Amino acid sequence: MEAPRLAHTMSSPTSPCEEVIKNLSLEAIQLCDRDGNKSQDSGIAEMEELPVPHNIKISNITCDSFKISWDMDSKSKDRITHYFIDLNKKENKNSNKFKHKDVPTKLVAKAVPLPMTVRGHWFLSPRTEYTVAVQTASKQVDGDYVVSEWSEIIEFCTADYSKVHLTQLLEKAEVIAGRMLKLSVFYRNQHKEYFDYIREHHGNAMQPSVKDNSGSHGSPISGKLEGIFFSCNTEFNTGKPPQDSPYGRYRYEVAAEKLFNPNTNLYFGDFYCMYTAYHYVILVIAPVGSPGDEFCKQRLPQLNIKDNKFLTCDEEDGVMVYHHAQDVILEVIYTDPVDLSLGTVAEITGHQLMSLSTANAKKDPSCKTCNISVGR
């Protein structure tokens, strides 16, 4: 059974969060630290009789919610009116310093049957490690509380975006995709040494590698999906790939039909920006029935290859015709090895613009265009 709706949150001098959040009943009070130390003006007294929660269990974890339950001794159990929940991000050097830094983490929930759902997008982020501890409390007639000792500290990690969340991102991306332009090739830029290595050590076939952590923090493909990155955007005036690149002066080009055809499936993977005016859309092309296809089928929204806002493949007069969205930068991941003999490698004539690189790029959590209403 889920907890009642929120009353209001702990107040803090810098906290911007005073809005209503579903499924958690909170009251504005000062709370003690986990070690039992209490501030002199906290208005909270100790009462040994209240049972201490133990054997805490976390279940039904999503990207912005979880269920929590625990065991308690029956002694004085009927005196419990509230639960105090201390929820904190687990400290790590890679934490996003821009996220929720002023949000209080100690919550006060009315005592309801367990398990209780904790939900709130402003204090829970996807794919993030948290610690949680619990106290039981009894509210007195004068408004003060008597409390138990803190429980043991439990660690857990929130989940990736679900298909529902990715569909919300997809719908936002569709709004700005723009009109469709023709394309004829997919291309991949690298340094000369990369292609030499592929020829010498991998039998001329580029191998899939695990996607980095660029893009949305909750993306289910980051650090998990294996594939090869390709680009397909063209210059508006020439209809050809741009001559500039952030990834190296050598470019592999392959006819679009070699990678994208009726024997492949197309999936939407992500939508993000990096504190810039332009936005990126990640698409995944997977040969039907391949391991990459099975991975995506379970996690990503599938697109109709003939009719979508980003990248299409259709037959006209017996010839395959391809189009891409004009107003977003497409990053295409192909999930199988690609033999260099299917295309050509040549040096580009433009510049190597490192500022355009998206390697491990962090998404702007404040952008209203490409964020959805769950943890960033």
Side-chain angles (χ1 to χ4, degrees), residues 74-362:
S74 58
K75 184 180 178 182
S76 299
K77 193 173 181 180
D78 58 347
R79 295 177 55 85
I80 298 172
T81 62
H82 293 79
Y83 304 135
F84 292 178
I85 302 173
D86 191 11
L87 180 68
N88 289 286
K89 284 185 180 176
K90 188 176 178 182
E91 292 297 327
N92 67 82
K93 62 182 180 180
N94 297 319
S95 61
N96 188 336
K97 296 179 181 179
F98 296 98
K99 285 189 300 187
H100 317 316
K101 61 183 179 180
D102 296 326
V103 176
T105 57
K106 294 182 177 62
L107 316 175
V108 185
K110 288 183 178 178
V112 296
L114 299 175
M116 178 178 65
T117 296
V118 178
R119 176 180 290 115
H121 71 267
W122 52 262
F123 61 78
L124 282 171
S125 297
R127 198 184 279 204
T128 303
E129 292 184 323
Y130 288 91
T131 63
V132 65
V134 187
Q135 283 178 316
T136 58
S138 177
K139 189 172 184 178
Q140 307 301 291
V141 292
D142 60 1
D144 287 345
Y145 288 78
V146 293
V147 297
S148 73
E149 293 300 319
W150 284 108
S151 71
E152 74 271 29
I153 297 173
I154 299 297
E155 298 180 0
F156 71 98
C157 185
T158 47
D160 298 333
Y161 283 156
S162 67
K163 276 189 180 181
V164 171
H165 299 114
L166 286 171
T167 299
Q168 293 175 18
L169 270 182
L170 165 62
E171 291 169 352
K172 278 180 162 282
E174 288 175 337
V175 172
I176 70 161
R179 69 171 179 163
M180 304 290 279
L181 302 178
K182 276 191 176 183
L183 70 106
S184 58
V185 299
F186 291 103
Y187 55 96
R188 174 175 172 81
N189 284 76
Q190 285 286 345
H191 299 286
K192 180 177 182 296
E193 292 76 13
Y194 168 82
F195 294 109
D196 290 342
Y197 185 86
I198 293 301
R199 295 185 185 99
E200 184 176 350
H201 296 281
H202 289 292
N204 215 45
M206 293 184 290
Q207 299 298 313
S209 59
V210 178
K211 183 193 171 298
D212 65 12
N213 288 315
S214 60
S216 299
H217 189 58
S219 171
I221 62 177
S222 293
K224 296 180 180 179
L225 176 67
E226 293 188 357
I228 305 170
F229 262 109
F230 284 91
S231 299
C232 64
N233 292 80
T234 59
E235 291 182 323
F236 178 77
N237 56 340
T238 67
K240 296 181 179 180
Q243 281 301 307
D244 299 326
S245 168
Y247 300 111
R249 296 193 55 80
Y250 282 77
R251 173 174 293 168
Y252 174 73
E253 287 190 8
V254 58
E257 63 187 23
K258 298 289 186 181
L259 303 186
F260 187 34
N261 53 61
N263 294 318
T264 56
N265 284 327
L266 181 67
Y267 299 90
F268 173 83
D270 201 3
F271 177 45
Y272 70 99
C273 72
M274 303 178 296
Y275 303 90
T276 57
Y278 42 89
H279 282 79
Y280 294 83
V281 168
I282 297 180
L283 302 175
V284 182
I285 297 175
V288 174
S290 67
D293 189 35
E294 294 304 314
F295 177 95
C296 294
K297 193 171 296 182
Q298 298 173 35
R299 297 168 177 84
L300 306 181
Q302 185 171 349
L303 303 176
N304 183 333
I305 65 171
K306 295 182 179 180
D307 183 19
N308 67 80
K309 299 290 187 181
F310 311 109
L311 180 66
T312 59
C313 157
D314 205 356
E315 187 175 334
E316 295 180 10
D317 299 325
V319 178
M320 299 304 296
V321 179
Y322 296 86
H323 291 84
H324 70 88
Q326 173 185 351
D327 294 334
V328 293
I329 300 175
L330 296 180
E331 298 181 301
V332 178
I333 300 177
Y334 187 77
T335 63
D336 273 12
V338 176
D339 198 293
L340 293 179
S341 64
L342 294 177
T344 59
V345 177
E347 188 173 4
I348 61 173
T349 58
H351 302 286
Q352 188 173 335
L353 303 177
M354 295 305 296
S355 62
L356 294 179
S357 173
T358 61
N360 288 307
K362 297 304 180 185

